[in-house]
Structure formats: structure tokens, C-alpha cells
Amino acid sequence: MSSFKTIEWKDDRVLMIDQRSLPLREVYIECLMFEDVAQAIKDMVIRGAPAIGVAAAMGIALGAHKSKRKDKIEFLAELKEISTVISNTRPTAVNLFWAVKRMMNLVNENKDKDIDWIRNRLVEEAKKIYEEDISICKRIGKVGSELIKDGDTVLTHCNAGALATAGYGTALGVIRAAFQEGKRIKVIASETRPFLQGARLTAWELDKDGIPVTIITDNMAGYVMSKGMVNSVVVGADRIASNGDVANKIGTYPLSILSRFHNIPFYVAAPISTIDYNCPSGDQIPIEKRDTKEVTHIMGNKITPDVEVLNPAFDITPSDHVSSIITEKGITEAPYSKSLRALLG
Ligand code: MRU
């Protein structure tokens, strides 16, 4: 496990490591109200699909816990409002909606119970989602490590590590597991403009664990692949459509094209909660557009002229670029419409 906690329920509040300050400062923020959790998700204090799923669940639990309503109907209406606020924080990672649905299903199935009972169960459920996420990531790691050989160099994009989950990570879970099995592996972390999750977060957490990591800028990926410096690419996912198309951090799609061109296996590691079985293909996945200041400013300083700027936070990698999808229930391959559905059985 990692030596820091990404998120934690402690003394009736939610604590999070502030990922905006890493790696320069390791500071933790306290969320006292559900609105604080919603704002933290929006502002990227916490980010990464499974981590925002856990945060969403804890946000609803916090809202229920702090509610002053004595009337059941009013209490249930308030929970509905809380779930809407949490759902409106970020649109792409399906884990957020998965977690909200799981929490609200619990409410809807137990409407006859008293307010205190519902409140306590929601807190228990949020803690359970947190614990489950850690064990799911460990299983993903164990399953996926068989794809990594001793001596391999693995390229990863963004941060799909302990910081992006309740702990351990998905793509970095695979890397951690291979490393813990004694395989001598190296990691190349692409910096991931504009938010720099690769350079700031992936490099920080791997270095903390003693896993050798080299940072490259995003536009160096073609160079390192063409020089035979990469044995495989392992990334996480924010949403996987039922046909196997993958939404992940902007810049994942070009990496998949480069991998294909250079015959390098391209693996996606994700929990089953990241698969959106109601979404037929990548075309239907909503892509978050973030504040263009993330592109135009570096550490508060404007670096661009006043021209039009785009800032889509995710892109879609078509399923035929994906060599395997690694889940807690095993490694799946094309045709994904069949193999992903089989995971449900
Ligand atoms: O915008 P972010 O930092 O939330 O995006 C995160 C990613 O794209 C990750 O690769 C993905 O959520 C997988 S995390 C296990």
C-alpha cells in the first residue's frame, strides 16, 4: 500500500490529499459538508475515476450524516438534491455515477427505515466502496502483472495510481504488482499536459515506492517508442463503452496509434465499475471541457497570446487499438462486446 491516503473518512469528515499541490507540498484538506466534497471533485483536489467514485459516495454519506432534517420525506428529498449536486461535478468518469447510483439504490430500497438507520448505512456503504476499491485494484494488479516481463519498460499516461483510486491504482497497480513480484521494471511517465498528472503525480508516487521512473513530455512518446525503449503501454480508463472503446486522459488516443504503429501492446487497466454497459460506443461518452486557463497559464503565469484555446480533458481510444482490458475478473480481449459482457456472468 502507499504511504499516503488519497481519501479517508475520519471523525465524521472526509480528508483528501490535495493533488493540486503535489509534488511540491503534501497537504490534506478537510471536507466538513457535502458541498466541500463536490467542490473538491470539480477543482481536481481529488481526481481519477475510481477516486472520484469513492469521493462521491463519501460526499453523499457526509450530506446524510450532517443533515438536520427530522422529517423522513424532507430527508429523502435532501438526499436526492445532494446526489444531483455530486453528479454534476464531472461528466466523463462513469465511476462517479456508478457510486451515486449504488448509494441512492440503498436509500430507495430502505425508505421504510428511520433516518438514523439510513444515515449510518450510507456511511458504512461509502467505507465499503473505499475498501472494495483497494482490493479490486490489488486484484487488477495481480491479474495484469502476468503481461509484464522481467526487464520491461512500461509507458503510462496521466495518473492511474494510488492517487487516482482509494489506494494502489489500476495501471500503476499492474506496475506495482509486477515490481513487488521482483520483476526489474522501469516506467516512463508522460507528463500529461495540461494538468501534468504524469509528471507531478505518477512520478511522485512511483518514486516514493522506489519504482524507477523517467518523465518525458507528451511529444517525446514517438521518439522513445521508435528507439525501442518501450515494451508496453498501460493506462487507466474513465469510461469504457460496451464495445470496448476507452475514454481516458487527453493524449491516450495518440499513444494508442503510436503503439499500434510500433507493434507495442497497449493495455487498459480498469475496474468493472468503469465499464458503462449502457453506452454502446465511445461516440456517446461525454467529454469534459475544462477551463482553458489550464492550457494558457503555467503556475499562474499566462504563456499564450489571446487566441482561441481548446481544453478537452479526455479522448476516445477505439477498441481495435486496445490489446487487452485488464479487470479484477481477468484479462479480456477483442471482440470486446462479447468479452466485456461475459464479465457480468
Ligand atoms: O482528469 P483526471 O485526472 O481525473 O483524469 C484521470 C484519468 O484520465 C485516469 O487515467 C483515469 O481516471 C483512470 S484512474 C485509475
Coordinates of all heavy atoms in Angstrom, one line a residue, residues 44 46-52 90 93 157-161 164-165 169-171 195 197 201 235-238 247-250 252 269 271 288 290 313-314, ligand 1:
M44 N -10.4 19.4 -8.9 CA -9.3 18.4 -9.0 C -8.4 18.3 -7.8 O -7.3 17.9 -7.9 CB -8.4 18.7 -10.2 CG -9.2 19.0 -11.5 SD -9.5 17.5 -12.5 CE -7.9 17.3 -13.3
I46 N -9.2 16.1 -5.7 CA -9.2 14.6 -5.9 C -9.6 14.4 -7.4 O -10.4 15.1 -7.9 CB -10.1 13.9 -4.9 CG1 -9.9 12.4 -5.0 CG2 -11.6 14.3 -5.1 CD1 -10.4 11.7 -3.8
R47 N -8.9 13.4 -8.0 CA -9.2 13.2 -9.4 C -8.9 11.7 -9.7 O -8.3 11.0 -8.8 CB -8.6 14.1 -10.4 CG -7.3 14.7 -10.0 CD -6.1 13.8 -10.0 NE -6.0 13.0 -11.1 CZ -5.4 11.8 -11.2 NH1 -4.8 11.3 -10.1 NH2 -5.4 11.1 -12.3
G48 N -9.2 11.2 -10.9 CA -9.0 9.8 -11.2 C -10.3 9.1 -11.0 O -11.0 9.3 -10.0
A49 N -10.7 8.3 -12.0 CA -12.1 7.8 -12.0 C -12.5 7.0 -10.7 O -13.5 7.4 -10.1 CB -12.3 6.9 -13.2
P50 N -11.7 6.0 -10.3 CA -12.2 5.3 -9.0 C -12.2 6.2 -7.8 O -13.1 6.1 -7.0 CB -11.2 4.2 -8.9 CG -10.7 4.0 -10.3 CD -10.6 5.3 -10.9
A51 N -11.2 7.1 -7.7 CA -11.1 8.0 -6.6 C -12.3 9.0 -6.5 O -12.9 9.2 -5.4 CB -9.8 8.8 -6.6
I52 N -12.8 9.5 -7.7 CA -13.9 10.4 -7.6 C -15.2 9.6 -7.3 O -16.2 10.1 -6.8 CB -14.0 11.4 -8.8 CG1 -14.2 10.7 -10.1 CG2 -12.9 12.3 -8.8 CD1 -14.3 11.7 -11.2
R90 N -18.4 16.3 -12.4 CA -17.6 16.0 -13.6 C -18.3 14.9 -14.4 O -18.9 14.0 -13.9 CB -16.2 15.4 -13.2 CG -15.3 16.5 -12.5 CD -13.9 16.0 -12.3 NE -13.2 16.1 -13.6 CZ -11.9 15.5 -13.8 NH1 -11.3 14.9 -12.8 NH2 -11.4 15.6 -15.0
A93 N -16.0 10.4 -16.1 CA -15.7 9.1 -15.4 C -17.0 8.5 -14.9 O -17.7 9.2 -14.1 CB -14.8 9.4 -14.2
H157 N 0.4 6.9 -19.0 CA 0.0 8.3 -19.2 C -1.0 8.7 -18.1 O -1.7 7.9 -17.5 CB -0.8 8.3 -20.6 CG -1.1 9.7 -21.0 ND1 -0.2 10.7 -21.3 CD2 -2.3 10.3 -21.3 CE1 -0.8 11.8 -21.7 NE2 -2.1 11.5 -21.7
C158 N -0.9 10.0 -17.8 CA -1.8 10.5 -16.7 C -1.4 9.9 -15.4 O -0.3 9.4 -15.2 CB -3.3 10.3 -17.0 SG -4.4 11.3 -15.9
N159 N -2.3 9.8 -14.5 CA -2.1 9.1 -13.2 C -3.2 8.1 -13.0 O -4.3 8.5 -12.7 CB -1.9 10.0 -12.0 CG -1.8 9.2 -10.7 OD1 -2.8 9.0 -10.1 ND2 -0.6 8.8 -10.4
A160 N -2.9 6.8 -13.1 CA -3.9 5.8 -12.7 C -3.3 5.0 -11.6 O -3.2 3.8 -11.6 CB -4.2 4.9 -14.0
G161 N -2.9 5.7 -10.6 CA -2.2 5.1 -9.4 C -3.0 5.2 -8.1 O -4.2 5.3 -8.1
A164 N -5.3 8.0 -7.8 CA -6.5 8.1 -8.7 C -7.5 7.1 -8.2 O -8.6 6.9 -8.8 CB -6.1 7.8 -10.1
T165 N -7.2 6.4 -7.1 CA -8.1 5.3 -6.6 C -8.1 5.5 -5.0 O -7.5 6.4 -4.5 CB -7.5 3.9 -7.0 OG1 -6.2 3.8 -6.4 CG2 -7.4 3.7 -8.5
G169 N -4.0 1.6 -7.1 CA -4.0 2.0 -8.5 C -4.4 0.9 -9.5 O -4.5 -0.2 -9.1
T170 N -4.8 1.3 -10.7 CA -5.2 0.4 -11.7 C -4.0 0.1 -12.6 O -3.3 -0.9 -12.5 CB -6.4 0.9 -12.5 OG1 -6.1 2.2 -13.0 CG2 -7.6 1.0 -11.6
A171 N -3.6 1.1 -13.5 CA -2.5 0.9 -14.4 C -1.2 0.8 -13.5 O -0.4 -0.1 -13.7 CB -2.3 2.0 -15.4
F195 N -2.7 19.3 -17.2 CA -2.7 19.3 -15.7 C -1.5 18.6 -15.1 O -1.3 18.6 -13.9 CB -4.1 18.6 -15.3 CG -4.5 19.1 -13.9 CD1 -5.0 20.3 -13.7 CD2 -4.5 18.2 -12.8 CE1 -5.4 20.7 -12.4 CE2 -4.9 18.6 -11.6 CZ -5.4 19.9 -11.4
Q197 N -0.6 15.4 -14.7 CA -0.8 14.3 -13.7 C 0.4 13.3 -13.8 O 0.7 12.6 -12.8 CB -2.1 13.5 -14.0 CG -3.4 14.3 -13.7 CD -3.9 15.0 -14.9 OE1 -3.2 15.5 -15.8 NE2 -5.2 15.2 -14.9
L201 N 2.2 13.6 -10.5 CA 1.6 12.6 -9.6 C 2.1 11.2 -9.8 O 2.5 10.6 -8.8 CB 0.1 12.6 -9.8 CG -0.6 14.0 -9.7 CD1 -2.1 13.9 -10.0 CD2 -0.4 14.7 -8.3
V235 N -2.4 2.0 -19.4 CA -3.1 3.2 -19.0 C -4.4 2.8 -18.2 O -4.8 1.6 -18.3 CB -3.5 4.1 -20.2 CG1 -2.3 4.7 -20.9 CG2 -4.4 3.4 -21.2
G236 N -5.0 3.7 -17.6 CA -6.3 3.5 -16.9 C -7.4 3.9 -17.8 O -7.2 4.1 -19.0
A237 N -8.6 4.1 -17.3 CA -9.8 4.5 -18.1 C -10.8 5.2 -17.2 O -10.9 5.0 -16.0 CB -10.5 3.3 -18.7
D238 N -11.5 6.2 -17.8 CA -12.5 6.9 -17.2 C -13.9 6.3 -17.5 O -14.8 6.4 -16.7 CB -12.5 8.4 -17.5 CG -11.3 9.0 -16.9 OD1 -10.2 8.9 -17.4 OD2 -11.4 9.5 -15.7
A247 N -12.5 5.8 -23.0 CA -12.3 7.3 -22.7 C -11.2 7.3 -21.6 O -11.4 6.7 -20.5 CB -13.6 7.9 -22.2
N248 N -10.2 8.0 -21.9 CA -9.1 8.2 -20.8 C -8.5 9.6 -21.1 O -8.9 10.3 -22.0 CB -8.1 7.1 -20.9 CG -7.2 7.1 -19.7 OD1 -7.6 7.3 -18.5 ND2 -5.9 7.1 -19.9
K249 N -7.6 10.0 -20.2 CA -7.0 11.3 -20.3 C -6.6 11.7 -21.7 O -6.0 10.9 -22.4 CB -5.8 11.3 -19.3 CG -5.0 12.6 -19.2 CD -5.9 13.8 -18.9 CE -6.8 13.7 -17.7 NZ -7.8 14.8 -17.7
I250 N -6.8 13.0 -22.0 CA -6.4 13.5 -23.3 C -4.9 13.1 -23.6 O -4.1 13.3 -22.7 CB -6.7 15.0 -23.3 CG1 -6.5 15.6 -24.8 CG2 -5.8 15.8 -22.4 CD1 -7.7 15.3 -25.6
T252 N -4.3 10.0 -24.6 CA -4.2 8.5 -24.7 C -4.4 8.0 -26.1 O -3.7 7.0 -26.5 CB -5.3 7.9 -23.7 OG1 -5.2 8.5 -22.4 CG2 -5.3 6.4 -23.7
A269 N -6.1 -0.8 -17.9 CA -6.4 -1.5 -16.7 C -7.5 -0.7 -16.0 O -7.4 0.5 -15.8 CB -5.2 -1.5 -15.8
P271 N -11.3 -1.1 -13.2 CA -12.3 -2.0 -12.5 C -13.6 -2.1 -13.4 O -13.8 -1.3 -14.2 CB -12.6 -1.2 -11.2 CG -12.3 0.2 -11.5 CD -11.2 0.2 -12.6
E288 N -15.5 15.9 -21.0 CA -15.4 17.1 -20.2 C -14.5 18.2 -20.9 O -13.4 17.9 -21.4 CB -14.8 16.8 -18.8 CG -14.7 18.0 -17.9 CD -14.1 17.6 -16.6 OE1 -13.5 16.5 -16.4 OE2 -14.1 18.5 -15.7
R290 N -12.6 21.5 -20.0 CA -12.2 22.2 -18.7 C -11.8 23.7 -19.1 O -11.6 24.0 -20.2 CB -11.1 21.5 -18.0 CG -11.6 20.1 -17.4 CD -10.7 19.5 -16.4 NE -10.4 20.4 -15.3 CZ -11.1 20.4 -14.2 NH1 -12.2 19.7 -14.0 NH2 -10.7 21.2 -13.2
A313 N -10.7 17.4 -21.8 CA -9.9 16.7 -20.8 C -9.7 15.2 -21.1 O -8.8 14.5 -20.5 CB -10.6 16.8 -19.4
F314 N -10.5 14.6 -22.0 CA -10.3 13.2 -22.3 C -10.4 13.0 -23.8 O -10.9 13.9 -24.6 CB -11.5 12.4 -21.6 CG -11.5 12.6 -20.1 CD1 -12.3 13.6 -19.5 CD2 -10.6 11.9 -19.3 CE1 -12.3 13.8 -18.2 CE2 -10.6 12.1 -18.0 CZ -11.4 13.0 -17.4
Ligands
MRU1 O1 -8.8 14.4 -15.1 P1 -8.4 13.3 -14.3 O2 -7.1 13.5 -13.7 O3 -9.5 12.9 -13.3 O4 -8.2 12.1 -15.3 C1 -7.8 10.8 -14.8 C2 -7.5 9.8 -15.9 O5 -7.8 10.0 -17.0 C3 -7.1 8.5 -15.4 O6 -6.3 7.9 -16.4 C4 -8.3 7.6 -15.2 O7 -9.3 8.2 -14.4 C5 -8.0 6.3 -14.6 S1 -7.6 6.4 -12.9 C6 -7.4 4.9 -12.3

